[in-house]
Amino acid sequence: MRFAFTEDQQMLRDTVREVLARECTPDVVRRAWEAQDQGEKKAEGPFQTLAETGLLGMMLSEEAGGLGMNEVDAALSIEAAGYAALPEPLIETLASIRVLESRLKGDGVELLSQIAAGEARLSLALDVGGVVPFAETAVLFIVFADGRLSLNRREEVELDVQVSGDRTRSVARLRGLKAPGIELGRGEEAVTLRAAIFDRAALGSALFLNGLARKMLELAVEYAKDRVQFGKPIGAQQAVKHHLANALIALEFSKPLAYRAAWTLAENEPDYPVHVSMAKLRASEAARTIAKLSLQVHGAIGYTIEHDLHLFMKRAWALTAAYGTEDFHRARVGRAILPEQGDKNG
Amino acid sequence: MRFAFTEDQQMLRDTVREVLARECTPDVVRRAWEAQDQGEKKAEGPFQTLAETGLLGMMLSEEAGGLGMNEVDAALSIEAAGYAALPEPLIETLASIRVLESRLKGDGVELLSQIAAGEARLSLALDVGGVVPFAETAVLFIVFADGRLSLNRREEVELDVQVSGDRTRSVARLRGLKAPGIELGRGEEAVTLRAAIFDRAALGSALFLNGLARKMLELAVEYAKDRVQFGKPIGAQQAVKHHLANALIALEFSKPLAYRAAWTLAENEPDYPVHVSMAKLRASEAARTIAKLSLQVHGAIGYTIEHDLHLFMKRAWALTAAYGTEDFHRARVGRAILPEQGDKNG
Amino acid sequence: MDLRFTEKEEKFRAECRAWLEANVPKEPLPSGDTREGFDLHVEWEKKLFEARYAVVSWPEEYGGRGASLMEWLIFEEEYYRAGAPSRVTQNGIFLLAPTIFEFGTEEQKERILRPMAAAEHLWAQGWSEPNAGSDLASLTSTARRVEGGWRLTGQKTWCTRGSFCDSAFGLFRTDPESERHRGLTYFLFPLRGEGVTLRGVDRLDGDEGFAEVFLDDVFVPDRDVLGEVNQGWRVAMATTSSERGLSLRSPGRFMATASRLIELYTRHRNTADPYLRKEVIDAYISAEAYRYYTFGTVTRMMEGGEIGADSSMNKVYWSEMDVRTHEAALALLGSDFELDEGSSDASDRGAWLKGFQFALAGPIYAGTNEIQRNIIAERVLGLPRK
Amino acid sequence: MDLRFTEKEEKFRAECRAWLEANVPKEPLPSGDTREGFDLHVEWEKKLFEARYAVVSWPEEYGGRGASLMEWLIFEEEYYRAGAPSRVTQNGIFLLAPTIFEFGTEEQKERILRPMAAAEHLWAQGWSEPNAGSDLASLTSTARRVEGGWRLTGQKTWCTRGSFCDSAFGLFRTDPESERHRGLTYFLFPLRGEGVTLRGVDRLDGDEGFAEVFLDDVFVPDRDVLGEVNQGWRVAMATTSSERGLSLRSPGRFMATASRLIELYTRHRNTADPYLRKEVIDAYISAEAYRYYTFGTVTRMMEGGEIGADSSMNKVYWSEMDVRTHEAALALLGSDFELDEGSSDASDRGAWLKGFQFALAGPIYAGTNEIQRNIIAERVLGLPRK
């Protein structure tokens, strides 16, 4: 039993952090917000630079130009992306690229390199009637519909544009397919592949949420040190201290569950879904709690969209409901550890 | 709409308070504890004095020697009894004495006066298999068993002695009846009478809990003012202040629900059960919360049985489960305001 | 104790209900915290005033009905039950007006109250400054004595709907030597004209809810001093107590939210996690507790009592109840949680997400809940300050 | 990261499990915090020591197995899983021993450690004084220099199982001029003999869990000073950090509680309110989170890291988790909630009510959670002290 990351994994995280600290500042995230609000086409930005570090394709085999890495290798980098509120489909790309590699043949293989290079943005549409993120900026979608899993170009997918509380997500409702696209699987196989992608996206969301939570906490800590009221920094007030201590505790006891889930996925442990569910549930709860505490510490300034906090808070809210709500994941844990109650509720 | 008590009602409360402040000090409650622990027969005490004020029989008609008063008139006095942790079946007596008056005839009427005089202690055994309080000190029991409601002497009731966390309650399990006793009702009528008593006992528990909560809060406030650590009273620490503010809020928003429920019972409003349930639920939650906060403020000293806090805390815990648990009462409110979910859970 | 409404109260309720049912816009208005929505809300307010429902508890001479506080609660219950528009006049009628009634001159009452209630003159609050939020007494905006009045200079912030209003009220330092609570004066000041610059600030939910107000030597005549010069703190405290206490958050609002939650639950109950039933029941009970707590407060006030520091309990309770109620609603919405008001598919037009964001401001504004808990502990429970 | 246990670890686990299954008393012992129960627990401890399971992580020379910290966690998991008796040696082996390993002389190690582990010499802690609880540095008990040693005078309180133990450890003021953290010395002192008076204090759950210790000029030889004279605070802090951190509350304990809760739920699920399912799942996840958090801490420590102020997070987390888990259990018990251990009908022999009362001490002892949160805020997050 060794529950820690390797130096290589930490170095990758540091690289990703540096790139994002430089290229995905809050102002960049804010521009993505404003671009969506005004219906502008998405500007180029940090996603390409990240792709250049090899992050997007890291889980591909070496033959496919990747590094043959796994979910544990990627975990800290996804967290770092959350810390920067990267407004790009990183979770979606990392969750599915290995499934794509295993299924794409012929011309399709070229798509893989475009995805890994950050040139072709990929999103997930895993439920008809479900909310699809990055519907405006992605050009490729993995779609689960009519018992098939397929890779489709945007024009092949019937998407009904909606508005997320977090504008950078440019969400839409999946109504169905207009054209079949490249089939990745059908029947049982499609269900299995979809599940593999869904659970990886849920884990990715958990890690991303933990990163967002860390950032919201840090913003509050900095503010509490700087903001003076009643002749001293508000962070000297015990109530503020305890809010922030509670935020830290929520975060620190969420992270181990996410790391463990990453390991079960990397090792393909048969019970990985329950571990993913614990991770996603706790990360969602922690992020909601920390958003609330951070806002409370900021006071009115945090309640404006001029301040950066809302960029992280709204992403967090959106991700708590993406790839399985808290209730979905709790119920899944319940089914694994408890007998059924009556004929439902399980 | 006038939501306040009359001067008469407040005067009665003040009288009860004075009697109890003198005759039901924490030391008296403690002796009741110790007497039970050592299997001693219960000493005489505050119950008789209370009876002399007319409290026990106040709800009887004037013909029966009472004051013809109702649940609103009694409410503040029950709260005052809770504040003193009176170790006597006051809730039980007040909940049932009017039903008894309506049913007892002939020789039975003499029992009424004995109950009202505090000479014959009365308890409630409303469920076979349920927990019966004051099983050792009461001489009369209202028993609901086999579709009958009856008044029985102790020797007629099959009681299996148990131990409560609060020793003053001297609880037992009701197994059944050994002799029929005086029948108060059977069939539908018994069910109706039992419900009338049950709801009044649940309301009485809510009021008593609010009184206990007030006392636990006051003990903590006094301690926080006196106890010096780090060169100042611990009550100057913001964390302690906020604990106690939270305790007060929990209490103050519990009380109106109890008073309203008392009014609906006094007026025999058809929806009184839902109001009783709201009152009992919130009083239980508030008392549990305040017990926890008060203990936390006291620290180790509150964790001993030498300190008075535990006398109030353990009574509170016991009463949260008496005459309907929190879940029972919440479910009852749910049935009144919500559609059913599936085929159970309602 | 008599928990039946009197005949008079019931009649008043029936009148309110009938008028509201006939007059409340069928489609919800756009947010009153946007330019477009504000104008529509002002129209609505004028209609309300014409029907004498704008300020039912005020004396008739100022456009009210001289209704009792209990009747005001009844009006509020009906108002929220009917889903009527939020009140863009509220900072005037709930925060400023009580202060004018208590401290204003006859001339001020005559001049200010009726146009305020009629939505002819719109008022914003100007309490906070960038460095004086929770710590209001640290404010630094100044008023300089000049012939016939004062010259105001400084910056006020978080002025709700400030960009759309005509005037504001707030404290300024009139004694330059003074510190903290002393030497402050309560002024009414213009939000347009020479020396005034406004900057709109978008709120969390995207509406331009706030304004920053920059004042550069803005002239205010003597008649716009409220209460005595250098006594502003005492005058202002009367107002903040009504902000925190009864006025702003009447039970009707939370009862209406609880009813909407029950309706939402009813729609979702077959897919909702069973524990959400508990959350819904608890939300309902909380609103009921708040309602009866308030009836108790109002009875006490009608019989000559004061709210005092109890208003802090009130504020902590409703603000936290409101957050929790909205959290239950968002959990019921499941994966549609994030859909905002612009979404065709958003449940109840995105009202829950918007309402949630608004609810999150509750524990912050009108004195943070941390400050309120200090007040409860120190003034109600008597714990030591230091 | 490798979350499989190594072959060595698995083998160790299997050995522990086999021995515990064969040896743990079938019927739970009476509480170790009563006279009768204490003696039975000491018997059990001796058996544990003979099998070399008393202190698996200690060097073999003191009766341990030189097990790794990870193996210690495994042992603890198995120990609680087997429902083995609570450890009446724990204040010695978890609080005092780490300090002796770090600060003790060779003579002290030789003399003290093995009898402590063997339950031949029982240790109680003597941290608190009546006026020095959370504020430990305000203690006033003194030690006066005499020929060959010191004379201790003062009063110590909340000495867990003090009435039954042989010795205690605590701080005394050796420099009469000193204040607060300075001038204190860490002493080992007798709980029997001349000048020592003990008074048992009954705990919330009725057990005589505490003692007050009155010391009147009690002689302690120089060899019973731990660490340097006047350096007691620094020496003690090493111990309180292990009390708050890893040692006292291993994940095994909470995993076992979560398992028992699941079992209780399984028995009651048809009558339990549906929301309790949520509480049970959350309790399980909390225990899992604590387990993996601890694996992370232990990995870090095994690779040369320190716990430091993180132990405060640990303490807040487990203590509040423990309360909440017991609250869920009591809700499942319904109207039998109040039945105490003396009741024939009490579920699991009243273990839940007793456990709940014990859990309530968690947020208080070993530094209140309020103090812990201050530490987290100041030392981990860097917030200003004043």
Side-chain angles (χ1 to χ4, degrees), chain D residues 18 24 33 68 74 95 102 106 117-118 121 134 136 190 211 237-238 245 308 324-325 343 345 359 361 375 377 380:
Chain D
V24 166
D33 298 346
S68 71
I74 291 168
L95 301 189
E102 190 168 346
E106 279 313 304
H121 194 93
S134 292
L136 195 55
M237 284 304 103
R324 192 160 175 183
T325 304
S343 287
D345 282 10
I375 294 173
V380 184

Side-chain angles (χ1 to χ4, degrees), chain D residues 16 32-33 35 47 99 105 112 139 186 195 199-200 207 216 225 231 269 280 290 299 305 312 326 356 372:
Chain D
C16 295
D33 298 346
R35 179 77 256 176
K47 193 164 177 179
T99 316
T105 62
I112 296 169
L139 58 84
Y186 194 125
R199 193 177 75 82
D207 291 354
D216 180 11
V225 170
Q231 292 299 315
R269 72 179 182 280
V280 173
Y290 187 68
T299 300
S312 292
H326 282 87
F356 171 61
Q372 303 299 346

Side-chain angles (χ1 to χ4, degrees), chain B residues 296-307:
Chain B
Q296 186 68 22
V297 169
H298 278 88
I301 188 76
Y303 199 72
T304 67
I305 68 174
E306 292 186 0
H307 192 277

Side-chain angles (χ1 to χ4, degrees), chain C residues 133-155:
Chain C
S134 292
D135 182 11
L136 195 55
S138 67
L139 58 84
T140 57
S141 293
T142 57
R144 185 169 53 84
R145 193 79 183 103
V146 293
E147 176 69 28
W150 300 79
R151 292 271 175 190
L152 311 189
T153 297
Q155 183 182 351

Side-chain angles (χ1 to χ4, degrees), chain D residues 15-32:
Chain D
E15 275 176 38
C16 295
R17 184 171 297 189
W19 187 86
L20 288 162
E21 275 176 7
N23 290 282
V24 166
K26 298 294 167 249
E27 292 291 302
L29 302 184
S31 165

Side-chain angles (χ1 to χ4, degrees), chain B residues 153-313:
Chain B
R153 300 191 169 275
R154 184 166 50 220
E155 53 275 19
E156 297 168 345
V157 187
E158 201 181 329
L159 293 168
D160 185 357
V161 171
Q162 302 290 323
V163 183
S164 172
D166 174 8
R167 298 290 188 274
T168 64
R169 281 169 56 80
S170 67
V171 296
R173 240 335 161 220
L174 173 65
R175 300 295 183 199
L177 282 178
K178 296 188 229 168
I182 304 171
E183 181 165 303
L184 303 172
R186 60 167 59 231
E188 269 305 298
E189 190 186 29
V191 171
T192 307
L193 292 174
R194 177 197 175 278
I197 296 173
F198 175 87
D199 275 308
R200 283 171 176 78
L203 168 69
S205 305
L207 291 160
F208 203 98
L209 280 162
N210 288 336
L212 288 162
R214 179 81 217 171
K215 180 69 178 189
M216 292 189 283
L217 171 57
E218 286 184 15
L219 286 171
V221 168
E222 288 316 306
Y223 187 76
K225 287 178 185 168
D226 291 346
R227 171 75 171 171
V228 171
Q229 292 281 275
F230 302 105
K232 59 184 176 184
I234 60 169
Q237 300 280 357
Q238 203 179 23
V240 171
K241 285 182 186 176
H242 287 198
H243 283 337
L244 295 172
N246 289 337
L248 182 65
I249 291 168
L251 173 60
E252 291 302 315
F253 284 89
S254 166
K255 281 158 56 182
L257 292 174
Y259 300 153
R260 174 177 63 165
W263 184 84
T264 61
L265 280 165
E267 298 290 319
N268 204 22
E269 295 277 311
D271 62 346
Y272 74 72
V274 69
H275 296 295
V276 167
S277 282
M278 287 194 234
K280 177 65 165 51
L281 169 59
R282 277 298 155 94
S284 297
E285 289 174 333
R288 285 197 298 118
T289 298
I290 294 166
K292 209 153 52 168
L293 292 169
S294 181
L295 178 59
Q296 186 68 22
V297 169
H298 278 88
I301 188 76
Y303 199 72
T304 67
I305 68 174
E306 292 186 0
H307 192 277
D308 292 338
L309 176 60
H310 88 111
L311 302 171
F312 302 90
M313 195 156 53

